[in-house]
Amino acid sequence: MYDEQKVLRQLKAALRLRTLQCEKAELKWRHALQQLCLIEQLLQTETVRYHRALTQYQQFIGHGVVLNPAMQEQRLLALAAARTAVVTRQRAVDIARKLFQEAKAGLIKAKVADDVTDKALQHVAVEVAHQVQTKELTDIFDAQSRQGGCLGV
């Protein structure tokens, strides 16, 4: 009986720990989600900027505007820099997505562990309650038998 009560106390402590771990994992997941959204917005901004520069360059070329070599080089360098910024942002988005997926997996793992611990706690609590009831009934029966009372409960 005392072993079961000890297990029950340990499971309650484990459940509190699992709940804290679950909350921590949820905070990490929310932070990763916010970071991912922010980085995706930055990628979108860089992509728009790149496409705007590319469109302007194509319009100049399409209209037959001839630029001097220095202007042509400046335009191409600006396009290359814009493209590099887009690629850099895309890498940052990929990393943020990976961190988000890891946080999501950690949250799922924490929730499963919390649920398993909770179910074990409920099972042990039912068993302890059943043992307490059985012991009380046995004590009542023993007391009535010693007093010469009825043999039924």
Side-chain angles (χ1 to χ4, degrees):
M1 171 77 111
Y2 294 109
D3 290 338
E4 288 83 5
Q5 289 177 344
K6 180 180 177 183
V7 169
L8 189 61
R9 283 192 310 275
Q10 288 173 342
L11 283 173
K12 285 180 182 178
L15 183 60
R16 287 190 301 271
L17 177 65
R18 298 286 188 209
T19 301
L20 287 173
Q21 289 173 339
C22 194
E23 290 172 1
K24 183 179 176 182
E26 188 170 350
L27 286 173
K28 185 177 178 181
W29 174 78
R30 286 185 195 279
H31 179 71
L33 179 61
Q34 289 173 347
Q35 290 297 316
L36 178 60
C37 290
L38 176 66
I39 292 171
E40 283 178 341
Q41 287 175 345
L42 293 173
L43 172 63
Q44 183 66 26
T45 302
E46 290 296 333
T47 303
V48 167
R49 188 176 296 146
Y50 171 70
H51 285 295
R52 189 178 308 131
L54 184 60
T55 302
Q56 286 176 346
Y57 179 74
Q58 288 172 342
Q59 285 176 350
F60 278 125
I61 299 301
H63 286 64
V65 176
V66 178
L67 299 173
N68 66 24
M71 291 287 288
Q72 180 74 6
E73 183 180 4
Q74 274 186 333
R75 293 267 181 194
L76 291 174
L77 286 173
L79 281 174
R83 180 67 186 148
T84 302
V86 169
V87 169
T88 301
R89 295 288 182 196
Q90 184 60 51
R91 286 186 189 132
V93 166
D94 292 342
I95 291 168
R97 282 190 182 135
K98 181 182 176 199
L99 292 174
F100 174 73
Q101 290 299 325
E102 289 173 359
K104 186 178 176 182
L107 177 60
I108 291 170
K109 184 179 177 182
K111 283 189 177 193
V112 167
D114 188 45
D115 289 345
V116 168
T117 305
D118 186 43
K119 287 179 183 178
L121 175 66
Q122 290 174 6
H123 179 71
V124 170
V126 167
E127 289 298 317
V128 167
H130 178 70
Q131 286 183 357
V132 166
Q133 183 183 17
T134 302
K135 184 173 180 349
E136 287 174 356
L137 290 175
T138 303
D139 290 346
I140 290 170
F141 178 77
D142 288 345
Q144 287 176 349
S145 295
R146 276 183 281 202
Q147 292 175 356
C150 67
L151 294 177
V153 177

